[in-house]
Amino acid sequence: MTRILKRSFRCAAIVPLVLGPLSDAVTAQERETTADFQQVRFRFYLVQADGFTEQDPEIADVVLELRKLFNFRGYRLVSTPVVNVVLEDRSGLRRWDGSGIQRIVVGDAEVPWELSVDVSAPPSSPTIRVDVSLTSIVPWSIRENAIRDPVEVYLEASVTIRDGQTVVLGSTRTSAEEPVLILVLTPEFDPT
Amino acid sequence: MMDNRDDWPDAILEGDLDSVDGLDAEVRRSAELIARDARNMNAVLGAMADRVSEGLPQVGEQHAAHPRRRASLRRWAFAPLAAAAVVAALILVRGGAIDERSEPDPSAGVPRAPSMMAEMDVEAVRPFVVFPTTDPDIAVVWLFNSEDSD
């Protein structure tokens, strides 16, 4: 009986010693696999400023901060584009890159606008470098050549940002008669 | 043809549209647009001036401006100077220096998340100003339009 108990104790001590390193190896392999790329979802809010009295719950927190800074007479949500970007090492330089484009229609504009995002970051970095541009485009049908060039750059900036932070980019407008436009962006790392 | 803002009376730039009652609809519409642009720019400059005044040292009573004139002077006379000062301050104060505090931090020794303002490193072709907000995870980058600088 004593021998059986001793053998049981030895087995109980050996099993974790054997499985411990194996489990660590599996965890390390899983970690290495998931670090090969990263998904980032950019939520944009295109907002018109001045002249609106409606309350839009989707931009309530941003409007609250804008009201503390500026005296614009109200804000209105115009468009809510979402751009999904996959960051991965494409150049072999241990740096992740990715990009995404989304077309949006602003108000009564006949031609859609183009929202483009270029992202770069060190692998598994808590911050990403984002180049955002909001431009107009001209349909292929009225272009003489096959190269598509943006006609006008409405907003363009580069920022470094973390998961869940919000950057408010202002301002632009399509013409002097139109209200000011503000672009709000929030990245979400590894969205579920 | 009153193409330049300098051609318009100050009353119109300040939003007093009653002074153009006798003019035709097109001129009145132009006056409304200019008044709105001036209001928008004043909103931005006012916010910038407030940011600058928060960082200015306290002025002694004997040197303080008359309280009745202080608010109007801040917005109308000092706005261009405040705009230049805040832009210079934002350029000079880098690397989280804005968040430095003189009093001892009760949470000393606890790792703190970097300031959003310190990390943003904004780049843009157009002139811009960065505003922090009361929410540490929200910041405003205001790009100036070319017509705003005329």
Side-chain angles (χ1 to χ4, degrees):
Chain A
M1 184 64 179
T2 306
R3 281 187 195 169
I4 294 174
L5 286 175
K6 284 185 180 177
R7 281 184 190 165
S8 299
F9 286 133
R10 283 199 208 110
C11 289
I14 291 173
V15 167
L17 288 175
V18 171
L19 294 181
L22 285 177
S23 65
D24 288 343
V26 171
T27 304
Q29 187 177 16
E30 289 177 346
R31 199 180 307 124
E32 185 176 340
T33 301
T34 57
D36 291 339
F37 67 94
Q38 181 178 36
Q39 296 183 15
V40 181
R41 176 177 295 160
F42 290 91
R43 296 186 182 276
F44 290 92
Y45 302 93
L46 191 60
V47 179
Q48 279 185 336
D50 210 13
F52 308 105
T53 58
E54 295 84 8
Q55 301 288 336
D56 203 310
E58 282 194 74
I59 54 173
D61 54 346
V62 173
V63 168
L64 179 65
E65 298 299 335
L66 291 175
R67 287 188 187 282
K68 296 175 185 176
L69 287 173
F70 307 114
N71 294 327
F72 290 111
R73 299 177 181 177
Y75 300 86
R76 185 180 74 176
L77 186 59
V78 174
S79 179
T80 56
V82 176
V83 180
N84 291 303
V85 175
V86 175
L87 298 179
E88 54 187 349
D89 188 356
R90 300 175 180 177
S91 58
L93 299 176
R94 292 195 55 80
R95 185 165 186 84
W96 285 352
D97 297 287
S99 61
I101 294 177
Q102 183 72 269
R103 290 192 179 186
I104 57 176
V105 178
V106 180
D108 299 329
E110 296 179 356
V111 179
W113 290 11
E114 184 171 283
L115 176 63
S116 67
V117 178
D118 290 299
V119 188
S120 62
S124 301
S125 169
T127 62
I128 56 175
R129 185 70 177 168
V130 181
D131 300 333
V132 180
S133 66
L134 185 62
T135 64
S136 67
I137 57 175
V138 178
W140 290 85
S141 59
I142 61 175
R143 274 286 179 185
E144 294 182 359
N145 53 41
I147 299 176
R148 187 186 67 191
D149 297 320
V151 174
E152 186 171 352
V153 178
Y154 296 120
L155 277 177
E156 189 173 35
S158 300
V159 297
T160 298
I161 193 171
R162 287 177 178 258
D163 183 17
Q165 291 182 336
T166 297
V167 172
V168 180
L169 289 177
S171 62
T172 185
R173 57 178 175 226
T174 54
S175 65
E177 290 77 19
E178 295 297 321
V180 167
L181 288 172
I182 298 171
L183 183 67
V184 182
L185 75 99
T186 298
E188 181 183 352
F189 291 10
D190 298 319
T192 55
Chain B
M1 185 70 173
M2 303 171 81
D3 290 331
N4 195 302
R5 289 187 182 183
D6 294 337
D7 298 330
W8 292 90
D10 290 341
I12 294 177
L13 296 179
E14 294 174 16
D16 180 14
L17 299 179
D18 294 336
S19 58
V20 295
D21 278 346
L23 301 178
D24 61 17
E26 184 178 346
V27 175
R28 182 179 175 82
R29 175 63 180 159
S30 297
E32 289 174 354
L33 290 175
I34 289 181
R36 186 200 65 189
D37 290 348
R39 190 174 60 246
N40 291 345
M41 178 51 65
N42 290 335
V44 175
L45 291 177
M48 294 165 62
D50 289 342
R51 286 287 177 271
V52 171
S53 64
E54 288 172 2
L56 289 175
Q58 294 296 324
V59 180
E61 291 184 1
Q62 62 275 21
H63 299 295
H66 193 282
R68 287 186 182 181
R69 298 197 306 268
R70 184 175 303 163
S72 59
L73 280 177
R74 174 190 298 174
R75 184 171 297 275
W76 297 107
F78 292 155
L81 295 176
V86 75
V87 171
L90 288 171
I91 292 174
L92 291 174
V93 182
R94 300 289 300 274
I98 296 174
D99 296 324
E100 290 177 355
R101 294 178 173 85
S102 58
E103 64 274 7
D105 190 348
S107 63
V110 179
R112 294 170 55 187
S115 160
M116 181 178 178
M117 292 285 290
E119 286 188 321
M120 285 179 65
D121 191 18
V122 180
E123 292 182 356
V125 176
R126 290 156 47 185
F128 64 91
V129 174
V130 183
F131 294 99
T133 68
T134 55
D135 189 325
D137 291 325
I138 298 178
V140 177
V141 178
W142 199 263
L143 303 163
F144 290 98
N145 296 309
S146 56
E147 58 266 21
D148 293 339
S149 59
D150 289 341

